[in-house]
Every structure is written in structure tokens, then in C-alpha cells.
């Protein structure tokens, strides 16, 4: 067995999700190689080589990978796929755009969003918005897999001393051109990698209240900020704040849900958090059924008080 | 320009599914079935392109059991011009669906295929990307804005941490995210009109596609239940518990 992990990176460093994928590969067994496809991505390749458990890094460097377009990345993976039994990517926007493309080019199925490795052919994955877990077995010679980051511990960023092999970068397929990215720059930790997450729901009533109530608490805790789908749909905050089955899946040490009712699709995105706190004035809100510490209170009084006393 | 919109019949999003007691799957007998919400957004987007004079014909296509006709009628009530049902009782996995759609694309020659980003039953999020790969086309996934300008689609995509805009040469694949549009309700006159629109039925074998599943579901079970904890009376107690009991702050 031999696993190829497709790194998600920004040319200088690895995105945190890559480390969880390395752990999933370790659970499968066999040698672990990491593909870093980028432009001037020596930094990211070096970072991948230091990750514990990685035996070899394949570094493909060229203009086709400047913006990590899935068309070019998939062509690169396929060009280097020989000899691998498993090809793994994170179940992030990047990995989800890329992995099915790789699978189709290899004429194999793709297994999405795995939570657990049962054996080299068998994996557990969520279906129906996490309301059921399916154990699926692949009969294909190559398994193409996306990995839910929160289900696997991050591999250590040090301790590895993999060799870095330069491989020829593929040419641009030419079908797609990158125009621009609007990535929100923030001093806050990234939602999916944060140790503490504070999330606001529809109970806040408005985007101004989100700013007034959630932000100071998050600042005090050094937390990432999130929102329920209801709060996103109501326009309080942008979509990339969304925690839930159709948004981000998070599993921080501490999750504080403020004015969140706890719809099933929201719970699917956060119920693996270590400690959950819910603050809601409705004592029957479903969020309390998963909360370790529930506070039935008016959030407009309780949250400022909490922020002040921390 | 012809636009193809694949649509999937799934358990209605309001239904809370139950795992069967023998752990072979979820119980979908006698539950309400509807069009996958992301597919509805795809149909709506195609109809808007037609209203802008960009799309000239919208072909809805579905693969599955005979009842998928209802899903196609629904797409036609929203505004698709005709429907194609690839009828089979076999279990269809994303790679097989992508191959069936490729055969339909080769026959229909659309310039744009708009699909939902994922179906809310298997949550695979694969078919659009697989179809793009099989056709050798460009793809714009998780779209929140689509503009067509001559031979190019300018698509804003939802990515982690924000948005990314790409230009994709036509023909191309676009997959829809939630914020792309809000699908209209089909009006009664349009539902009646949809009943008269052409609906063609083909079989996978007519399209020369082997739909044999590659993945076997061994077992389906309830996710582990998280136990609720305690209610605290006030903020001071909450802080005390988080500091001394949970030790997370």
C-alpha cells in the first residue's frame, strides 16, 4: 500500500487540513507521500517534508499551479498517480473541487468526507446531513478519498525528514482562468482550525447585534467566529461564517453557541466539539440537548456579562 | 445556447430520515420525495439565463426510477423546456451518473451544464466535477454568481475564507451553492403547462453506459449520540465550570 496525500497550501506553508489528511493516510497504512503542486512552492514542499510520517514529497512547480485550479491540479495528480493505492485530499472547497475530477480521470469511485478508516478498502462517511453514518467498501484498485479534518488528529508538523523529489509540472489545460480572490483577512484564527469558536444565531436579531454581542466575546476568548445557517440566510454575516452540514465542520476545544436554536444541519457541523456551551432564552431549544453547559438566559444580558467577567 | 440541467429526486429536505433497524440503509418507504434543493437552484439559474436571452433552450435530465418523471415535471414547471429521463431501478453512484450525463451531453451538445453542488441524500458532492473531467471541460464549483459573456462564463465561487472568481471557457460545468439564487415557486398554470412539455425516456444501455456500483454499503447506522450536560443557573457558574471543571479557558 502507498498513499498519496494532495497538499492544500499557499506556496509557503501547508494549510492545516493537510495535516489531518496525513493522519488519515497513516490510519490506512503503508508509505505516505505528499504532492505539493504550486508555483514557487518550495516553502510548502519543505513544510510537507517535515511532517511526521511523510516518506516522500513530490513537488510539482509551474505557472499552471499558480492559483491551484482543479483542472490543472487533477491533471498533475493523474500524471503522478502510478503506484499509489490511495489518493487523499482534504474535504475542503479545494479538495472537493479536485478529488472527484481525479477519480473520474482514473475511472474509479470517490469516497467523500470520511470520518474513519475501517481498513484499507472500507471507510465510514456521513450521509443525510450527518443523520446516518454509512460504512462503505470500495472495489476499485485506487481509492480516491476526501477526509473530514475534524475526524482525524493533525499530524505533527515536525519530526519528518522526507526526501523532496521534483516532478515535472503539467501544462495549463487552458479551460479556466483565475480572475480574483476576495479572502477575508483576519487576525482571528481560522474557523476550522480554532481552539475556541463563538457562533451567533438568529436569536441575535441583526448583523449589528452580531457585531455588538459576538465580536467582543470572541476577542476576549481569542476565538474564531461562526454563524448558524439561519443567521447567514438572514444576512447578518457572510456565508463563509456558516457552521453546519452545508458550511464548515468544526470541532474546537470550546464551542459557544449564542442564540442558536440547534437545527440538525447546524449540529452536524459542531457536535464533535470537546465542550459545548449554549446560551439561549428558549429552554426547549435543541441546542441544549448537545450542550455540556446550557445557560437559559437573555443573550443580550448574559453575553456582555460573560465578556465582562472573563 | 442550450443549457442542460441534471436534477435528482431525493428525500424531501424537511423529512428526518430514520436508519432501518437491520442497518442496511435509511427508510425511504412512504416518505415525501422532492427535487434536491441544490438542483432547484440550478434549474432557476438556467431559467434566469433564458429570461436574459442568453439560454435558448433548457433541457432537464434525471437518472433513476420511473418516479423521477415527477422531478422532471417539476423542473419544467419552473421553466425547463423539455425533459430526459434515464430510467433504471439500479443503484446509481456519482461516477455512473457522470457517465450517463456525458452520453446525454454528447447527444444534446449543450454549451453549459448547471448542476447542484451536492445531493442531500448521499452528500457526495462529486457528479459535476466528474462530468467535467470526463468531458475535458472546465468547471466552476460552488457558484454564487454566474455571468455569461460570449464564449466565457465568469463565475464567483464560494471557497474557504471567501470568494474566488474564475473565467471558464464554454462549454463548461457550473455547480450551484446556496446563495446563487432563490428558486421561484412553480405557479399552477406553469405546472399545468409542464404536463404538456416533451419528456423522453432512455435506458442506460441505450447510452452504452455500465452503471455497476463501485462502492458497497456494508452498514448504515445512527451517528453516536452526544449526551447533553447540565444547565447552569448564571454566568458566574458558567465561568467557574469552564475554568475548573472543563478547563478550557
Amino acid at each position: 500500500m502507498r498513499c498519496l496525500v494532495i497538499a492544500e497550501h499557499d506556496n509557503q506553508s501547508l494549510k492545516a487540513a493537510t495535516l489531518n489528511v496525513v493522519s488519515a493516510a497513516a490510519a490506512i497504512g503503508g508509505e505516505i507521500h505528499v504532492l505539493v503542486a504550486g508555483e514557487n512552492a518550495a516553502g510548502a514542499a519543505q513544510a510537507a517534508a517535515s511532517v511526521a510520517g511523510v516518506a516522500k514529497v513530490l513537488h510539482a512547480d509551474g505557472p499552471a499551479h499558480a492559483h491551484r485550479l482543479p483542472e490543472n491540479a487533477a491533471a498533475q495528480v493523474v500524471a503522478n498517480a502510478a503506484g499509489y493505492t490511495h489518493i487523499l485530499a482534504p474535504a475542503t472547497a479545494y479538495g472537493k473541487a479536485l478529488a472527484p475530477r481525479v477519480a473520474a480521470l482514473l475511472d474509479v469511485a470517490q469516497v467523500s468526507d470520511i470520518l474513519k478508516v475501517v481498513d484499507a478498502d472500507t471507510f465510514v462517511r456521513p450521509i443525510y446531513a450527518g443523520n446516518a453514518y454509512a460504512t462503505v467498501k470500495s472495489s476499485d484498485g485506487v481509492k480516491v478519498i476526501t477526509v473530514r479534518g475534524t475526524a482525524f488528529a493533525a499530524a505533527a508538523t515536525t519530526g519528518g525528514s522526507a526526501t523532496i523529489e521534483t516532478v515535472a509540472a503539467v501544462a495549463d489545460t487552458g479551460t479556466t482562468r483565475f480572475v480574483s480572490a476576495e479572502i477575508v483577512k483576519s487576525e482571528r484564527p481560522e474557523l476550522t482550525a480554532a481552539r475556541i469558536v463563538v457562533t451567533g444565531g438568529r436569536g441575535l436579531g441583526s448583523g449589528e447585534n452580531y457585531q455588538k454581542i459576538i465580536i467582543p466575546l470572541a476577542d476576549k476568548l481569542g476565538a474564531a467566529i461562526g454563524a448558524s445557517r439561519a443567521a447567514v440566510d438572514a444576512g447578518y454575516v457572510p456565508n463563509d461564517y456558516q457552521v453546519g452540514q452545508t458550511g464548515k465542520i468544526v470541532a474546537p476545544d470550546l464551542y459557544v453557541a449564542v442564540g442558536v436554536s440547534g437545527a440538525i444541519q447546524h449540529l452536524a457541523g459542531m457536535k464533535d466539539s470537546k465542550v459545548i456551551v449554549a446560551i439561549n432564552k428558549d429552554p426547549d431549544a435543541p441546542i441544549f440537548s448537545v450542550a455540556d453547559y446550557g445557560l437559559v438566559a437573555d443573550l443580550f444580558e448574559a453575553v456582555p456579562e460573560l465578556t465582562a467577567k472573563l | 445556447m442550450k443549457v442542460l440541467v441534471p436534477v435528482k429526486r431525493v428525500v424531501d429536505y424537511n423529512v428526518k430520515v430514520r436508519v432501518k433497524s437491520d442497518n442496511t440503509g435509511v427508510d425511504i418507504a412512504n416518505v415525501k420525495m422532492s427535487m434536491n434543493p441544490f438542483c432547484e437552484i440550478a434549474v432557476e439559474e438556467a431559467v434566469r439565463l433564458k429570461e436574459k436571452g442568453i439560454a435558448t433552450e433548457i433541457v432537464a435530465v434525471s437518472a433513476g426510477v420511473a418516479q423521477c418523471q415527477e422531478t422532471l415535471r417539476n423542473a419544467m414547471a419552473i421553466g425547463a423546456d423539455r425533459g430526459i429521463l434515464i430510467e433504471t431501478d439500479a443503484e446509481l453512484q456519482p461516477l455512473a451518473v457522470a457517465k450517463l450525463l456525458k452520453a446525454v451531453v454528447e447527444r444534446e451538445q449543450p454549451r453549459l451544464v448547471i448542476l447542484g453542488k451536492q445531493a442531500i441524500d448521499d452528500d457526495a458532492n462529486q457528479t459535476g466535477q466528474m462530468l467535467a473531467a470526463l468531458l475535458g471541460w472546465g468547471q466552476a464549483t460552488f457558484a454564487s454568481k454566474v455571468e455569461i459573456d460570449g464564449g466565457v462564463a465568469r463565475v464567483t465561487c464560494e471557497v474557504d475564507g471567501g470568494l474566488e472568481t474564475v473565467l471558464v471557457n464554454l462549454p463548461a460545468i457550473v455547480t450551484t451553492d446556496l446563495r446563487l439564487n432563490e428558486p421561484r415557486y412553480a405557479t399552477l398554470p406553469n405546472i399545468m403547462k409542464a404536463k404538456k412539455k416533451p419528456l423522453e425516456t432512455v435506458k442506460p444501455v441505450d447510452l452504452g453506459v455500465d452503471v455497476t456500483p463501485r462502492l458497497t454499503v456494508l452498514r448504515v447506522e445512527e451517528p453516536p449520540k452526544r449526551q447533553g450536560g447540565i444547565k447552569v443557573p448564571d454566568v458566574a457558574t458558567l465561568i467557574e465550570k469552564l475554568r475548573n471543571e472543563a478547563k478550557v479557558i
Side-chain angles (χ1 to χ4, degrees):
Chain A
M1 269 184 309
R2 188 176 279 180
C3 294
L4 182 64
V5 170
I6 304 167
E8 183 168 353
H9 63 88
D10 61 7
N11 291 326
Q12 281 85 46
S13 59
L14 296 176
K15 292 281 173 76
T18 308
L19 301 170
N20 307 100
V21 183
V22 169
S23 294
I28 291 167
E31 214 169 277
I32 301 170
H33 296 183
V34 176
L35 173 66
V36 176
E39 189 184 38
N40 301 321
Q46 197 56 55
S50 314
V51 173
V54 176
K56 193 202 269 187
V57 173
L58 303 183
H59 177 198
D61 214 289
H65 298 308
H67 300 291
R68 287 171 287 282
L69 294 171
E71 293 85 347
N72 297 335
Q76 186 71 53
V77 175
V78 171
N80 298 104
Y84 293 102
T85 54
H86 296 76
I87 298 173
L88 303 99
T92 55
Y94 171 76
K96 288 187 223 177
L98 169 63
R101 222 178 148 100
V102 171
L105 292 173
L106 296 172
D107 191 27
V108 299
Q110 193 237 294
V111 187
S112 294
D113 215 11
I114 65 162
L115 303 169
K116 192 178 159 191
V117 175
V118 178
D119 61 40
D121 306 322
T122 314
F123 311 93
V124 177
R125 59 174 304 266
I127 56 175
Y128 289 94
N131 283 306
Y133 286 180
T135 302
V136 298
K137 187 180 168 81
S138 165
S139 57
D140 286 315
V142 183
K143 279 68 163 153
V144 179
I145 294 164
T146 60
V147 175
R148 178 173 294 191
T150 57
F152 296 87
T157 52
T158 55
S161 54
T163 53
I164 299 176
E165 182 183 320
T166 302
V167 296
V170 295
D172 192 340
T173 58
T175 58
T176 310
R177 270 164 293 160
F178 171 87
V179 178
S180 62
E182 296 166 48
I183 304 298
V184 183
K185 287 263 181 287
S186 167
E187 295 300 306
R188 288 182 195 288
E190 205 186 329
L191 191 49
T192 52
R195 203 182 67 79
I196 302 178
V197 172
V198 179
T199 287
R202 188 125 80 176
L204 286 162
S206 70
E208 293 87 78
N209 287 340
Y210 185 97
Q211 295 298 323
K212 214 165 68 193
I213 301 285
I214 299 298
I215 302 291
L217 176 60
D219 285 345
K220 202 70 173 272
L221 289 167
I225 49 176
S228 69
R229 167 129 166 234
V232 170
D233 284 349
Y236 302 171
V237 289
N239 191 45
D240 61 295
Y241 283 40
Q242 192 195 132
V243 173
Q245 183 69 13
T246 52
K248 301 234 164 63
I249 311 288
V250 303
D253 289 347
L254 174 62
Y255 188 89
V256 184
V258 176
V260 174
S261 65
I264 186 78
Q265 91 92 26
H266 184 76
L267 301 183
M270 47 66 84
K271 67 180 168 51
D272 294 326
S273 304
K274 224 171 265 168
V275 175
I276 296 174
V277 170
I279 301 172
N280 198 306
K281 67 171 185 241
D282 174 9
D284 299 322
I287 190 77
F288 287 121
S289 71
V290 300
D292 298 283
Y293 302 109
L295 177 60
V296 180
D298 180 354
L299 70 91
F300 295 104
E301 287 168 17
V303 178
E305 186 190 341
L306 177 60
T307 307
K309 285 186 176 166
L310 277 169
Chain B
M1 154 173 113
K2 192 192 279 189
V3 179
L4 191 76
V5 186
V7 292
K8 185 174 184 185
R9 178 178 184 264
V10 297
V11 172
D12 187 85
Y13 76 100
N14 282 314
V15 173
K16 167 119 174 56
V17 295
R18 296 199 182 284
V19 171
K20 286 189 203 166
S21 54
D22 64 358
N23 293 107
T24 55
V26 300
D27 194 357
I28 59 164
N30 304 316
V31 303
K32 187 183 178 207
M33 304 293 283
S34 300
M35 189 191 299
N36 179 42
F38 292 104
C39 302
E40 253 184 317
I41 295 171
V43 177
E44 173 68 31
E45 195 63 19
V47 173
R48 289 185 189 190
L49 288 175
K50 194 172 175 196
E51 287 167 349
K52 283 184 205 153
I54 294 164
T56 50
E57 189 188 24
I58 301 166
V59 183
V61 52
S62 192
V65 295
Q67 290 88 329
C68 294
Q69 286 189 22
E70 294 161 18
T71 316
L72 288 168
R73 292 288 173 206
N74 186 356
M76 290 189 270
I78 299 171
D81 296 296
R82 60 188 169 90
I84 301 172
L85 171 61
I86 308 166
E87 192 184 337
T88 174
D89 291 333
E91 184 200 344
L92 294 176
Q93 293 179 350
L95 182 63
V97 175
K99 288 178 178 180
L100 293 169
L101 293 175
K102 174 175 183 260
V104 172
V105 165
E106 281 164 354
R107 212 181 66 172
E108 293 285 341
Q109 300 284 316
R111 297 281 287 159
L112 184 65
V113 182
I114 311 177
L115 307 89
K117 73 166 181 179
Q118 79 189 61
I120 60 166
D121 50 4
D122 61 12
D123 285 328
N125 194 334
Q126 298 175 7
T127 307
Q129 297 89 312
M130 286 183 157
L131 178 60
L134 295 176
L135 290 163
W137 292 5
Q139 66 183 44
T141 47
F142 324 138
S144 63
K145 191 176 178 195
V146 178
E147 295 162 296
I148 306 294
D149 184 11
V152 175
R154 184 188 180 90
V155 184
T156 303
C157 304
E158 308 257 1
V159 297
D160 298 326
L163 299 169
E164 195 173 285
T165 302
V166 291
L167 291 174
V168 193
N169 294 344
L170 300 181
I173 303 289
V174 170
T175 77
T176 64
D177 214 322
L178 277 179
R179 291 196 305 173
L180 181 57
N181 62 49
E182 216 166 291
R184 70 196 67 188
Y185 288 101
T187 61
L188 187 59
N190 284 343
I191 291 170
M192 299 312 286
K193 258 196 270 176
K195 291 184 177 168
K196 297 204 179 73
K197 290 182 178 176
L199 197 165
E200 179 195 357
T201 300
V202 296
K203 303 275 183 193
V205 63
D206 302 332
L207 300 171
V209 175
D210 175 7
V211 297
T212 310
R214 307 292 187 86
L215 301 175
T216 314
V217 176
L218 301 181
R219 188 178 168 80
V220 174
E221 53 208 327
E222 297 267 353
K225 286 258 182 300
R226 188 185 175 106
Q227 293 299 320
I230 56 163
K231 293 249 171 74
V232 292
D234 51 40
V235 168
T237 316
L238 176 61
I239 293 174
E240 191 273 320
K241 294 279 185 196
L242 290 176
R243 283 214 172 108
N244 302 322
E245 194 174 272
K247 298 186 166 69
V248 284
I249 57 170

